[in-house]
Structures are given as structure tokens and as C-alpha cells.
Amino acid sequence: MKVKVLGMIVAAALLAPQSGFGQDDPKIYENMEKTGPHSMEGTQAIEVEAKVIEVNRKTREITLKPKDGESMTVKVGDEVRNFDKINRGDMLRIRYLESLALELKKQGTAENMRDRSAEIVRSKPGQKPGGMVVEKVSAIGTITNVDKKKKNVTIKGPERSVTVQVQDKSILDQLKKGDQIEIEYTQAMAVSVETIKR
């Protein structure tokens, strides 16, 4: 789908490599849909379950064993309350949520920028341990060159310029020098504890 190609162009120019977006799992593009004549959005959710093998209350570290995978030790930050309720044998469900929104602004005038913010949402005292860290990256980049002969587009981000190949002529026809691309990428990680029924 054409919008996926444009999404990958923008992510390469404005987010990579600082955000880590798209480096390991580009599945978010599979769900990208047009939301307007010059905009699109995509979301994905990945859920992993892991059994608690060991809990170190002093260091706030837990060793986890996913159903399919090797054991790993993770440090649990203060944003996850009620750490004392996590016990060996509990099942942790870790859910990652990502969303990506893109909009092409014809002859935009905003300054190229990239901004990162984070918000912590915690469970209430007495509830099962849980927390969510929501990280948001916003960026604006400007198209500085559209070369239809070479089939490439150059996008200037806040820190660097990237030239990417675009084989689809219909996408090239939509883009012009001076157009701006606005992007908003959100990533969240939520953790909750479940009891394993034996």
C-alpha cells in the first residue's frame, strides 16, 4: 500500500535512529490507513506473558521466563507500585502499544523539530502492581528536494537530512519542495500481574 511506503520514508528521516522506532519490528505499517487526503495512522499492540522465576526485593529486580524464550532479569522502576505483591510463580503480562500518525502539510512554515516527552501512569495503592510509561515523539521535517528522474526524496529533519528512494511515481507526484511532514509516534509499556491457575 502506498501510504505504508510514505510512512517508512518519514520514520527514516525524522525518527531513526534516536527513537528506536522501526528498527526491530515494522509491523505498525501493516495497519496504516489513510485518515484524510494527506494523513494516515497506524497502531499495533504486542503482548508477552512471562512467569516470575525470582524476586529480589532489595534491588527491585525480577527474573522472568517467557513462554517462548530465554529467562531475563529486569529492574522494576518506582513507577510500578505495589512491587511487594509480586511473588515467584506469578505471571506478568507485558503489553507494548505503539501508534504512528503522519500528516503532509503543503508548503508548511513550521520550524523543523523533534520533541520527546514521557508520562507515568501508576496503579492505585492496594491494587495489583501495574504501571504504564507513555513516551511520545513529535517531529516536523521539510522536503528539500523531489527528484523524479532518480526517484528519490530528500527530507530535512531537525538533526539531519535523509534521501530515500521512492519507486512509486504517484507518491512522488504528491510531494513538492517546501512541503512539511508532521509525525507523532507514541509508545507505551504496561505491566500487570496475573495468578497462574495450576
Side-chain angles (χ1 to χ4, degrees):
M1 189 182 238
K2 296 173 185 175
V3 292
K4 290 183 205 171
V5 177
L6 184 57
M8 293 172 81
I9 291 169
V10 176
L14 302 183
L15 296 182
Q18 292 87 349
S19 70
F21 173 76
Q23 291 179 3
D24 300 313
D25 191 357
K27 288 182 183 173
I28 193 169
Y29 296 122
E30 293 175 10
N31 297 322
M32 295 217 54
E33 295 180 2
K34 273 189 121 170
T35 54
H38 299 294
S39 61
M40 59 186 160
E41 289 183 10
T43 59
Q44 76 166 338
I46 302 168
E47 198 169 276
V48 179
E49 290 187 356
K51 186 176 182 179
V52 177
I53 305 300
E54 191 177 334
V55 181
N56 186 326
R57 308 241 183 250
K58 285 186 180 178
T59 62
R60 290 185 66 92
E61 292 178 329
I62 52 176
T63 302
L64 304 168
K65 175 72 172 75
K67 287 182 179 178
D68 302 315
E70 298 179 11
S71 297
M72 57 182 162
T73 300
V74 295
K75 190 169 179 79
V76 179
D78 293 335
E79 67 272 6
V80 177
R81 287 184 179 168
N82 307 316
F83 178 75
D84 59 322
K85 292 189 182 290
I86 297 175
N87 295 301
R88 175 187 273 178
D90 284 347
M91 182 66 78
L92 291 184
R93 175 173 288 145
I94 303 169
R95 179 173 233 187
Y96 299 88
L97 301 171
E98 288 182 305
S99 70
L100 176 66
L102 303 161
E103 186 173 357
L104 177 66
K105 301 208 168 178
K106 305 305 271 178
Q107 296 298 313
T109 57
E111 187 176 331
N112 292 343
M113 56 78 87
R114 187 171 68 88
D115 183 53
R116 183 185 298 259
S117 62
E119 180 184 352
I120 297 171
V121 181
R122 298 194 288 188
S123 62
K124 295 178 182 176
Q127 292 181 338
K128 283 283 192 182
M132 184 186 298
V133 178
V134 179
E135 184 179 27
K136 186 181 287 186
V137 180
S138 302
I140 296 174
T142 303
I143 295 174
T144 57
N145 188 47
V146 179
D147 191 327
K148 293 186 181 180
K149 264 191 176 178
K150 293 182 180 176
K151 295 185 176 179
N152 64 38
V153 177
T154 302
I155 302 172
K156 180 173 174 44
E159 297 170 6
R160 63 190 185 127
S161 290
V162 174
T163 300
V164 289
Q165 293 296 309
V166 183
Q167 296 303 322
D168 193 323
K169 186 180 180 299
S170 64
I171 291 178
L172 284 172
D173 288 341
Q174 294 177 44
L175 306 175
K176 288 186 173 51
K177 182 178 178 178
D179 288 349
Q180 287 192 317
I181 298 176
E182 215 171 275
I183 183 168
E184 190 167 284
Y185 170 67
T186 304
Q187 182 180 47
M189 184 179 77
V191 180
S192 61
V193 173
E194 292 184 3
T195 303
I196 300 173
K197 293 185 178 179
R198 299 183 190 274

